[in-house]
Amino acid sequence: LYEDYLQIKTNIIFKKKLSKKTENKINFISNNYQKNNHNVRILIRPSGTEPLLRVLVEGVKKSVTESIFSKLLVDLEKVINAK
């Protein structure tokens, strides 16, 4: 009925409120990773109470999930810390 997936999650701290442009870039990155990796689920959302971006990656294969998670974090950090 229910299949377990490996979950890797973290929070990314941001100093100032995310602009609409930054949110659109984050959505674009998330959608591209999701589209190119069908065996992985990605959830990225801002915290409702703290200046955090919550990131969750789920996948069947540990090595693939960890690899995508690492690359995704690098891309997200670049967008969030861009000046």
Side-chain angles (χ1 to χ4, degrees), residues 5 12 36 64 82:
Y5 282 76
I12 300 175
N36 295 324
V64 173

Side-chain angles (χ1 to χ4, degrees), residues 21-67:
K21 183 178 178 180
T22 301
E23 287 179 9
N24 289 339
K25 287 180 182 180
I26 290 169
N27 287 334
F28 179 78
I29 290 169
S30 175
N31 290 337
N32 275 344
Y33 273 90
Q34 190 70 57
K35 185 174 26 175
N36 295 324
N37 300 286
H38 300 290
N39 293 325
V40 174
R41 294 186 291 219
I42 298 171
L43 174 66
I44 302 172
R45 67 173 187 84
S47 168
T49 58
E50 302 172 280
L52 299 173
L53 193 64
R54 306 221 187 260
V55 181
L56 170 70
V57 178
E58 296 180 318
V60 178
K61 290 187 177 181
K62 182 178 180 179
S63 60
V64 173
T65 306
E66 288 174 342
S67 174

